Amino acid sequence: MAQTPNQKKPNHGKSPLPKQPNRSNIVTLVVFLAVGIFFAVMMTRSMTATNGVTQTDELVTSEFTQAVEQGRVNTAVYDTGSYTITGTYYPAATAGEATTDAFNTAFNALNSGMASTTGARPTIVQTQELAASKLGSEHNYTCTWVGSDSLGQLMAAHPTIQYSVRLASPWGSILASILPILIIAGLLLFFFSQMNKANNSQMSFGKAKAKKSVEEHPDVHFSDVAGVDEAVEEMQEIKDFLENPAKYQSLGAKIPRGCLLVGPPGTGKTLLARAVAGEAGVPFFSLSGSDFVEMFVGVGASRVRDLFKQAQQMAPCIVFIDEIDAIGARRTNASGAESENNQTLNQLLVEMDGFDSDETIIVLAATNRPEMLDKALLRPGRFDRQIIINSPDQKGREEILKIHSKDKKIDENVDFKDIAEDTAGFTGAELANILNEAAIIATINKHDSITRADIEEAIKKVTVGLEKHSRVVSEKDKKLTAYHEAGHAVVSRYLETQNDIKEVSIIPRGVAGGYTMYKSNEDKYYISKTEMEEKLIALLGGRAAEKLVLDDISTGASNDLEVATNIARDMITVYGMSDTIGPISLKDSENPNQMILYGEKMQDAIGAEIKILIDTAYRNAQKLLIEHRDKLDAVANVLLEKEKITEKEFYEIFND
């Protein structure tokens, strides 16, 4: 796979994290549930028998008295607060079963040593065993005592009963009666509060989700922005407008309503907007275009109104809308979600037109797809200025690297100028990511500082992927990869317009089985037809080498073919480099992903021209490899031996 440092891996979108629940609400609910569970457990324990007894009988006073007199009561606890007696006893014998006399006989046997006990229940031996077994199992009982004055006398007359008196506190009964009510009331309050919050949330749909900040001591200055000097100069004027509006108004100059920052992702558009607000020391309202989008009709327009209402109250200020194409796309005659977007955009246009002349509110917006925006949004009086922010040049990249290296320990041998030369096409965000990855690599390698080797490895990691030394590659696949990458490198060596070879490797990185890396030591703003044709030859060098040496082809050239086809298509349909089609552009400015086809046969003609370009490039690649077969074999053999060839080693082969 042919790979250059300015080729980027595809960005994979990340799903937003789910909204975290309110911690205080969870704690409140847990507390209420814990109290409820505790109360329920205590009530259950009070109603559950002890020592494995599971039954509870309700006795009237007469039944309890009879059971005491018959000796069937084991324990009694007299609660003076509620006038109740609780404990354990043996139920009375039924008809046909043991009588009271038999029961008494059993106890007499026990006292005389004729019987033994197991637990609280007598087990009778010899002649009384049958009578005693008819008494049944031990039960719990509870009784509401009516004659409280005679209870003490009754217990005193039967000293064999384990008897105790519990002086009940009035708070116990009060708490027992009030606690369930408190628990229920607390749960109801909790749920009502949640319902109220939900209702308030629904009513706040129309509120703007803007993040407002006022920075007296700003963290971002113009000095923190590098590589976009012209854009900074224009933003300096915005700062001056905010600081001295009267100076411009005295000469009849009107403060710009809006300023649109246009450029690829990662070029510093948001950073530049924050720098303006920080330097001017004014409130800064920041939000994304997607913050206006909602499933309910009219919510987006309501949020726009609320945003500008807040801005008017805080003027002078800056309103920054990132990714404005989410709401600023061309209006259509549609319904549903698109109709909602139309309403939101219309409200934004109305609000930008509604500024008073003395209101110093400047709307900044950023986008990387300006062709998607509605033309009404771009007319003077709304977004008066468009500031183009491109990828930084070599000097700009060097300055960006120095800024992002301030908080890192860089080895004294690192020359940021050399790194800037090797990173043509990189944005500021990508350069910052490279230094961060280099810091991680240096930490893993236990270096005291970030070395040039760490940065080189970080560049490869970002552009190609992480080396996969653990992957087991067969000798057949290794040979195929070696000749494939050698084909790219050797063909490029004999093409005048192609960059020099920096490194060739057959060690898998990312999704690639190998790679050929080129030096990018100059910034190119225009590409000639010859350069694009030779780029096609270099891309097809790998496929041509496979066919020449192995007399077979593989799937390893899939990415090369895709890139080559796209280049050939753009040469014909965008840049007008086809003699057959002519110097015309078929690109649809309103729909960049579509083409305008003039005539029924245009599509067939385009396909034929693409095939001619690809076939010609493939034949030229084969021709070069046949002429320099010895160099192809030499490079491939070194790759099979060392798995990697440096720039110096590569050119030594051609100097022999």
Side-chain angles (χ1 to χ4, degrees):
M1 174 183 290
Q3 181 72 40
T4 60
N6 54 342
Q7 276 187 272
K8 311 300 187 302
K9 296 187 293 184
N11 293 323
H12 301 284
K14 297 181 180 180
S15 301
L17 294 174
K19 185 178 181 181
Q20 298 297 320
N22 192 313
R23 183 182 295 270
S24 62
N25 293 340
I26 295 178
V27 172
T28 303
L29 181 60
V30 170
V31 170
F32 278 124
L33 289 177
V35 173
I37 294 173
F38 174 79
F39 179 76
V41 170
M42 296 302 296
M43 292 290 291
T44 303
R45 290 184 62 182
S46 66
M47 298 177 64
T48 305
T50 59
N51 299 325
V53 182
T54 59
Q55 295 180 328
T56 302
D57 294 338
E58 293 285 341
L59 303 180
V60 298
T61 302
S62 59
E63 291 175 336
F64 172 73
T65 303
Q66 185 179 11
V68 172
E69 293 175 348
Q70 294 175 351
R72 294 186 289 112
V73 176
N74 288 345
T75 62
V77 179
Y78 178 40
D79 190 342
T80 62
S82 57
Y83 297 98
T84 59
I85 306 104
T86 59
T88 58
Y89 84 116
Y90 291 101
T94 59
E97 297 180 345
T99 63
T100 305
D101 294 337
F103 184 84
N104 293 330
T105 301
F107 272 90
N108 292 330
L110 177 65
N111 295 328
S112 62
M114 297 174 59
S116 59
T117 60
T118 301
R121 172 182 177 180
T123 302
I124 309 302
V125 296
Q126 298 180 2
T127 59
Q128 290 81 16
E129 182 175 359
L130 178 63
S133 66
K134 298 293 185 176
L135 294 176
S137 60
E138 190 178 39
H139 284 206
N140 282 336
Y141 74 89
T142 181
C143 176
T144 301
W145 183 253
V146 177
S148 58
D149 294 338
S150 60
L151 181 60
Q153 300 175 0
L154 179 65
M155 296 293 105
H158 299 81
T160 57
I161 302 175
Q162 297 180 5
Y163 172 66
S164 62
V165 178
R166 181 171 62 193
L167 301 176
S169 172
W171 293 107
S173 58
I174 295 174
L175 184 62
S177 60
I178 296 180
L179 186 59
I181 299 175
L182 294 177
I183 294 174
I184 296 173
L187 292 174
L188 289 175
L189 288 173
F190 172 77
F191 289 121
F192 279 131
S193 65
Q194 294 301 304
M195 293 176 61
N196 187 45
K197 290 180 180 179
N199 292 331
N200 292 336
S201 176
Q202 293 178 359
M203 296 299 294
S204 65
F205 279 163
K207 299 292 184 180
K209 300 179 180 180
K211 299 178 181 178
K212 179 176 70 71
S213 63
V214 182
E215 302 182 11
E216 297 180 358
H217 304 284
D219 296 330
V220 183
H221 302 264
F222 283 137
S223 58
D224 299 317
V225 183
V228 286
D229 296 340
E230 293 78 8
V232 171
E233 290 180 4
E234 291 201 57
M235 300 307 283
Q236 286 277 12
E237 296 181 9
I238 301 295
K239 171 196 172 184
D240 198 31
F241 286 148
L242 293 168
E243 291 181 336
N244 305 295
K247 181 174 66 174
Y248 295 91
Q249 294 172 356
S250 64
L251 297 177
K254 294 183 179 180
I255 298 175
R257 299 294 181 116
C259 183
L260 183 66
L261 306 177
V262 180
T267 51
K269 299 184 296 293
T270 303
L271 182 66
L272 189 58
R274 289 188 57 84
V276 176
E279 291 282 349
V282 298
F284 182 74
F285 294 86
S286 175
L287 71 168
S288 173
S290 59
D291 292 333
F292 296 101
V293 180
E294 197 59 71
M295 63 182 292
F296 301 102
V297 177
V299 173
S302 177
R303 288 178 177 175
V304 171
R305 288 192 298 269
D306 183 69
L307 170 64
F308 282 91
K309 181 179 179 181
Q310 295 182 47
Q312 289 174 351
Q313 295 172 351
M314 299 293 294
C317 64
I318 292 176
V319 175
F320 177 64
I321 305 174
D322 199 8
E323 305 295 343
I324 194 174
D325 47 273
I327 60 170
R330 293 185 182 89
R331 289 165 289 183
T332 59
N333 296 323
S335 59
E338 293 185 357
S339 176
E340 166 65 6
N341 290 341
N342 291 345
Q343 292 186 33
T344 305
L345 175 57
N346 290 335
Q347 189 63 45
L348 178 61
L349 298 176
V350 170
E351 294 295 336
M352 294 189 69
D353 287 339
F355 290 169
D356 295 332
S357 59
D358 59 344
E359 288 180 338
T360 51
I361 301 175
I362 295 180
V363 182
L364 302 180
T367 182
N368 56 9
R369 300 191 298 173
E371 69 279 354
M372 301 292 295
L373 299 179
D374 194 282
K375 293 182 179 179
L377 197 62
L378 303 177
R379 74 160 176 79
R382 286 163 181 163
F383 284 101
D384 304 271
R385 296 187 178 187
Q386 293 189 34
I387 300 177
I388 308 300
I389 305 177
N390 293 316
S391 298
D393 56 13
Q394 180 178 328
K395 180 182 177 182
R397 293 193 297 273
E398 183 178 353
E399 294 175 353
I400 292 172
L401 289 168
K402 291 179 180 179
I403 289 176
H404 291 293
S405 65
K406 290 180 179 180
D407 60 342
K408 296 176 175 62
K409 190 176 182 180
I410 307 295
D411 187 86
E412 60 183 7
N413 295 322
V414 173
D415 189 352
F416 287 120
K417 183 178 180 181
D418 294 339
I419 300 173
E421 291 179 353
D422 294 339
T423 53
F426 280 67
T427 64
E430 291 168 335
L431 293 172
N433 185 42
I434 286 174
L435 288 183
N436 184 67
E437 290 291 343
I440 295 174
I441 294 171
T443 303
I444 295 174
N445 295 332
K446 298 180 179 180
H447 294 166
D448 296 331
S449 59
I450 301 173
T451 64
R452 175 60 189 267
D454 296 327
I455 298 176
E456 290 279 353
E457 179 61 26
I459 294 175
K460 298 174 188 177
K461 183 179 178 181
V462 171
T463 57
V464 188
L466 185 66
E467 274 191 351
K468 300 179 180 179
H469 292 281
S470 61
R471 180 184 293 181
V472 179
V473 182
S474 65
E475 291 299 323
K476 180 181 178 182
D477 288 345
K478 185 179 290 186
K479 182 178 180 181
L480 185 146
T481 304
Y483 273 99
H484 182 101
E485 300 303 333
H488 286 305
V490 173
V491 168
S492 299
R493 171 64 178 82
Y494 294 102
L495 298 172
E496 294 182 0
T497 63
Q498 298 304 294
N499 294 328
D500 295 335
I501 301 298
K502 184 176 181 179
E503 184 178 279
V504 185
S505 173
I506 61 173
I507 301 174
R509 277 185 177 269
V511 298
Y515 62 89
T516 300
M517 184 171 289
Y518 298 86
K519 296 182 68 175
S520 301
N521 50 13
E522 63 177 358
D523 298 302
K524 296 181 180 180
Y525 302 100
Y526 302 100
I527 304 176
S528 66
K529 180 181 179 182
T530 301
E531 187 175 354
M532 298 183 77
E533 289 175 341
E534 292 191 348
K535 181 65 176 178
L536 295 178
I537 299 173
L539 286 167
L540 297 175
R543 168 61 64 88
E546 292 180 17
K547 183 64 176 178
L548 175 64
V549 178
L550 305 174
D551 194 25
D552 198 3
I553 57 177
S554 70
T555 60
S558 60
N559 183 68
D560 299 329
L561 297 177
E562 180 182 355
V563 176
T565 303
N566 291 335
I567 292 175
R569 182 195 61 203
D570 289 343
M571 290 176 64
I572 297 166
T573 62
V574 179
Y575 306 120
M577 295 180 178
S578 170
D579 294 335
T580 302
I581 303 298
I584 60 175
S585 177
L586 303 178
K587 184 178 180 180
D588 189 349
S589 59
E590 296 186 356
N591 297 291
N593 297 326
Q594 299 182 4
M595 292 188 301
I596 302 175
L597 301 178
Y598 301 98
E600 297 179 355
K601 300 181 180 180
M602 180 65 71
Q603 188 170 356
D604 293 337
I606 293 172
E609 283 294 296
I610 293 174
K611 188 176 187 305
I612 291 173
L613 286 173
I614 297 296
D615 290 344
T616 302
Y618 186 68
R619 288 194 299 267
N620 289 333
Q622 286 181 316
K623 182 180 178 181
L624 285 172
L625 293 176
I626 293 172
E627 294 176 357
H628 304 282
R629 174 65 186 269
D630 57 333
K631 304 299 182 184
L632 176 65
D633 292 333
V635 174
N637 290 332
V638 176
L639 285 172
L640 290 171
E641 180 183 354
K642 297 183 176 181
E643 294 188 327
K644 187 182 294 183
I645 296 180
T646 63
E647 178 183 358
K648 181 180 179 181
E649 293 172 333
F650 178 80
Y651 286 101
E652 284 179 352
I653 295 175
F654 292 86
N655 293 331
D656 293 341

